Amino acid sequence: LGGAEVAHRRGAAGGGHHRIGIARRQLEQLLRRLPAEQREILLLREVEGLSYAELSSALGIPPGTVKSRLARAREGLLEHYRQEPGESLHDEHPDLDTLSALLDGELDTFQRPQAEAHLHGCARCQARFAELRALGDDLRALPRRTRRASRAR
C-alpha cells in the first residue's frame, strides 16, 4: 500500500482531515437518495475501507467501473447535500474519477504525479479534493449499525 492509501484507511479522520459536518440523520437521508449500487460501493470504500481491487472482486465489476462508480457516488452525495447541480470540471482539470482515485491512493505511478502537481497549484481542485476527503470522514463517522442499515436498503 502506498503512503496515501495507508493514511486514508481506518482512523485517518483524526489525521488532520476535516469533516463537512453533515448531521448523521441528514447523511443517512442523503445516502438513501443515491442509487443502491452507488450507496453500496461508497459505504464499502469509506466505511469498510475496501481497496479498489477488493471492491472489484467483491462486487464483480471491473476496476475502471469501481473508479467511475465511486466518483459518481461521491459527486451525487455532494450534489444532494448542496441541493444544486454540481459543477463539471473543466477539461484542463483532473476529472472527478481521477481526484477520487487520488484520494483513495489508487492512481498508477504515471497518473499520480500529474494529478498531485495539478492539485498543488489549483485552488479549485484543492477545494474539490478537500470536499471529497471531508465527505469520506463524515461517512466513516457513522456508527457501524447505521452503515449496515443504509447498505441493506
PDB file of all heavy atoms in Angstrom, residues 114-128:
ATOM      1  N   GLN A 114       1.153  13.572 -11.945  1.00  0.00           N
ATOM      2  CA  GLN A 114       0.464  14.601 -12.729  1.00  0.00           C
ATOM      3  C   GLN A 114      -0.692  15.199 -11.939  1.00  0.00           C
ATOM      4  O   GLN A 114      -0.863  16.421 -11.890  1.00  0.00           O
ATOM      5  CB  GLN A 114      -0.062  14.006 -14.033  1.00  0.00           C
ATOM      6  CG  GLN A 114       1.015  13.644 -15.014  1.00  0.00           C
ATOM      7  CD  GLN A 114       0.446  13.041 -16.289  1.00  0.00           C
ATOM      8  OE1 GLN A 114      -0.630  12.447 -16.277  1.00  0.00           O
ATOM      9  NE2 GLN A 114       1.168  13.197 -17.380  1.00  0.00           N
ATOM     10  N   ALA A 115      -1.496  14.342 -11.318  1.00  0.00           N
ATOM     11  CA  ALA A 115      -2.639  14.819 -10.541  1.00  0.00           C
ATOM     12  C   ALA A 115      -2.174  15.623  -9.331  1.00  0.00           C
ATOM     13  O   ALA A 115      -2.743  16.677  -9.019  1.00  0.00           O
ATOM     14  CB  ALA A 115      -3.512  13.647 -10.106  1.00  0.00           C
ATOM     15  N   GLU A 116      -1.138  15.137  -8.650  1.00  0.00           N
ATOM     16  CA  GLU A 116      -0.627  15.848  -7.475  1.00  0.00           C
ATOM     17  C   GLU A 116      -0.050  17.209  -7.857  1.00  0.00           C
ATOM     18  O   GLU A 116      -0.248  18.189  -7.129  1.00  0.00           O
ATOM     19  CB  GLU A 116       0.409  15.009  -6.745  1.00  0.00           C
ATOM     20  CG  GLU A 116      -0.201  13.829  -6.009  1.00  0.00           C
ATOM     21  CD  GLU A 116       0.827  12.888  -5.407  1.00  0.00           C
ATOM     22  OE1 GLU A 116       2.022  12.945  -5.784  1.00  0.00           O
ATOM     23  OE2 GLU A 116       0.428  12.071  -4.559  1.00  0.00           O
ATOM     24  N   ALA A 117       0.652  17.274  -8.979  1.00  0.00           N
ATOM     25  CA  ALA A 117       1.220  18.546  -9.430  1.00  0.00           C
ATOM     26  C   ALA A 117       0.111  19.546  -9.738  1.00  0.00           C
ATOM     27  O   ALA A 117       0.194  20.717  -9.357  1.00  0.00           O
ATOM     28  CB  ALA A 117       2.111  18.327 -10.650  1.00  0.00           C
ATOM     29  N   HIS A 118      -0.919  19.079 -10.413  1.00  0.00           N
ATOM     30  CA  HIS A 118      -2.039  19.970 -10.711  1.00  0.00           C
ATOM     31  C   HIS A 118      -2.723  20.420  -9.418  1.00  0.00           C
ATOM     32  O   HIS A 118      -3.008  21.607  -9.234  1.00  0.00           O
ATOM     33  CB  HIS A 118      -3.065  19.288 -11.629  1.00  0.00           C
ATOM     34  CG  HIS A 118      -4.254  20.159 -11.880  1.00  0.00           C
ATOM     35  ND1 HIS A 118      -4.274  21.114 -12.872  1.00  0.00           N
ATOM     36  CD2 HIS A 118      -5.441  20.252 -11.235  1.00  0.00           C
ATOM     37  CE1 HIS A 118      -5.429  21.752 -12.822  1.00  0.00           C
ATOM     38  NE2 HIS A 118      -6.159  21.241 -11.848  1.00  0.00           N
ATOM     39  N   LEU A 119      -2.954  19.478  -8.536  1.00  0.00           N
ATOM     40  CA  LEU A 119      -3.630  19.776  -7.278  1.00  0.00           C
ATOM     41  C   LEU A 119      -2.841  20.807  -6.472  1.00  0.00           C
ATOM     42  O   LEU A 119      -3.424  21.704  -5.858  1.00  0.00           O
ATOM     43  CB  LEU A 119      -3.802  18.481  -6.477  1.00  0.00           C
ATOM     44  CG  LEU A 119      -4.760  18.504  -5.305  1.00  0.00           C
ATOM     45  CD1 LEU A 119      -6.172  18.840  -5.766  1.00  0.00           C
ATOM     46  CD2 LEU A 119      -4.762  17.162  -4.610  1.00  0.00           C
ATOM     47  N   HIS A 120      -1.522  20.707  -6.503  1.00  0.00           N
ATOM     48  CA  HIS A 120      -0.667  21.628  -5.755  1.00  0.00           C
ATOM     49  C   HIS A 120      -0.880  23.079  -6.193  1.00  0.00           C
ATOM     50  O   HIS A 120      -0.855  23.988  -5.360  1.00  0.00           O
ATOM     51  CB  HIS A 120       0.807  21.237  -5.920  1.00  0.00           C
ATOM     52  CG  HIS A 120       1.739  22.133  -5.190  1.00  0.00           C
ATOM     53  ND1 HIS A 120       1.832  22.140  -3.808  1.00  0.00           N
ATOM     54  CD2 HIS A 120       2.604  23.071  -5.625  1.00  0.00           C
ATOM     55  CE1 HIS A 120       2.729  23.041  -3.444  1.00  0.00           C
ATOM     56  NE2 HIS A 120       3.205  23.618  -4.522  1.00  0.00           N
ATOM     57  N   GLY A 121      -1.142  23.284  -7.483  1.00  0.00           N
ATOM     58  CA  GLY A 121      -1.263  24.647  -7.982  1.00  0.00           C
ATOM     59  C   GLY A 121      -2.672  25.111  -8.298  1.00  0.00           C
ATOM     60  O   GLY A 121      -2.852  26.207  -8.821  1.00  0.00           O
ATOM     61  N   CYS A 122      -3.688  24.323  -7.996  1.00  0.00           N
ATOM     62  CA  CYS A 122      -5.057  24.674  -8.388  1.00  0.00           C
ATOM     63  C   CYS A 122      -5.965  24.733  -7.157  1.00  0.00           C
ATOM     64  O   CYS A 122      -6.328  23.700  -6.594  1.00  0.00           O
ATOM     65  CB  CYS A 122      -5.595  23.667  -9.404  1.00  0.00           C
ATOM     66  SG  CYS A 122      -7.284  24.015  -9.941  1.00  0.00           S
ATOM     67  N   ALA A 123      -6.327  25.932  -6.776  1.00  0.00           N
ATOM     68  CA  ALA A 123      -7.176  26.109  -5.592  1.00  0.00           C
ATOM     69  C   ALA A 123      -8.536  25.455  -5.780  1.00  0.00           C
ATOM     70  O   ALA A 123      -9.091  24.881  -4.833  1.00  0.00           O
ATOM     71  CB  ALA A 123      -7.336  27.594  -5.286  1.00  0.00           C
ATOM     72  N   ARG A 124      -9.074  25.508  -6.981  1.00  0.00           N
ATOM     73  CA  ARG A 124     -10.383  24.909  -7.241  1.00  0.00           C
ATOM     74  C   ARG A 124     -10.352  23.395  -7.014  1.00  0.00           C
ATOM     75  O   ARG A 124     -11.234  22.828  -6.372  1.00  0.00           O
ATOM     76  CB  ARG A 124     -10.809  25.222  -8.666  1.00  0.00           C
ATOM     77  CG  ARG A 124     -12.157  24.663  -9.009  1.00  0.00           C
ATOM     78  CD  ARG A 124     -12.579  25.118 -10.391  1.00  0.00           C
ATOM     79  NE  ARG A 124     -13.893  24.604 -10.674  1.00  0.00           N
ATOM     80  CZ  ARG A 124     -14.275  24.184 -11.848  1.00  0.00           C
ATOM     81  NH1 ARG A 124     -13.446  24.240 -12.849  1.00  0.00           N
ATOM     82  NH2 ARG A 124     -15.475  23.732 -12.037  1.00  0.00           N
ATOM     83  N   CYS A 125      -9.326  22.739  -7.541  1.00  0.00           N
ATOM     84  CA  CYS A 125      -9.217  21.288  -7.374  1.00  0.00           C
ATOM     85  C   CYS A 125      -8.859  20.928  -5.932  1.00  0.00           C
ATOM     86  O   CYS A 125      -9.284  19.895  -5.425  1.00  0.00           O
ATOM     87  CB  CYS A 125      -8.215  20.701  -8.371  1.00  0.00           C
ATOM     88  SG  CYS A 125      -8.850  20.712 -10.073  1.00  0.00           S
ATOM     89  N   GLN A 126      -8.074  21.783  -5.264  1.00  0.00           N
ATOM     90  CA  GLN A 126      -7.781  21.556  -3.848  1.00  0.00           C
ATOM     91  C   GLN A 126      -9.072  21.569  -3.039  1.00  0.00           C
ATOM     92  O   GLN A 126      -9.270  20.736  -2.150  1.00  0.00           O
ATOM     93  CB  GLN A 126      -6.832  22.630  -3.314  1.00  0.00           C
ATOM     94  CG  GLN A 126      -5.414  22.510  -3.809  1.00  0.00           C
ATOM     95  CD  GLN A 126      -4.568  23.721  -3.414  1.00  0.00           C
ATOM     96  OE1 GLN A 126      -4.966  24.544  -2.588  1.00  0.00           O
ATOM     97  NE2 GLN A 126      -3.403  23.829  -4.033  1.00  0.00           N
ATOM     98  N   ALA A 127      -9.958  22.501  -3.352  1.00  0.00           N
ATOM     99  CA  ALA A 127     -11.231  22.593  -2.636  1.00  0.00           C
ATOM    100  C   ALA A 127     -12.085  21.363  -2.908  1.00  0.00           C
ATOM    101  O   ALA A 127     -12.693  20.800  -1.988  1.00  0.00           O
ATOM    102  CB  ALA A 127     -11.978  23.863  -3.040  1.00  0.00           C
ATOM    103  N   ARG A 128     -12.145  20.921  -4.159  1.00  0.00           N
ATOM    104  CA  ARG A 128     -12.933  19.726  -4.508  1.00  0.00           C
ATOM    105  C   ARG A 128     -12.356  18.499  -3.809  1.00  0.00           C
ATOM    106  O   ARG A 128     -13.081  17.683  -3.268  1.00  0.00           O
ATOM    107  CB  ARG A 128     -12.927  19.546  -6.030  1.00  0.00           C
ATOM    108  CG  ARG A 128     -13.614  18.302  -6.559  1.00  0.00           C
ATOM    109  CD  ARG A 128     -15.106  18.216  -6.259  1.00  0.00           C
ATOM    110  NE  ARG A 128     -15.884  19.295  -6.760  1.00  0.00           N
ATOM    111  CZ  ARG A 128     -16.586  19.281  -7.881  1.00  0.00           C
ATOM    112  NH1 ARG A 128     -16.597  18.220  -8.619  1.00  0.00           N
ATOM    113  NH2 ARG A 128     -17.280  20.330  -8.245  1.00  0.00           N
TER     114      ARG A 128
END
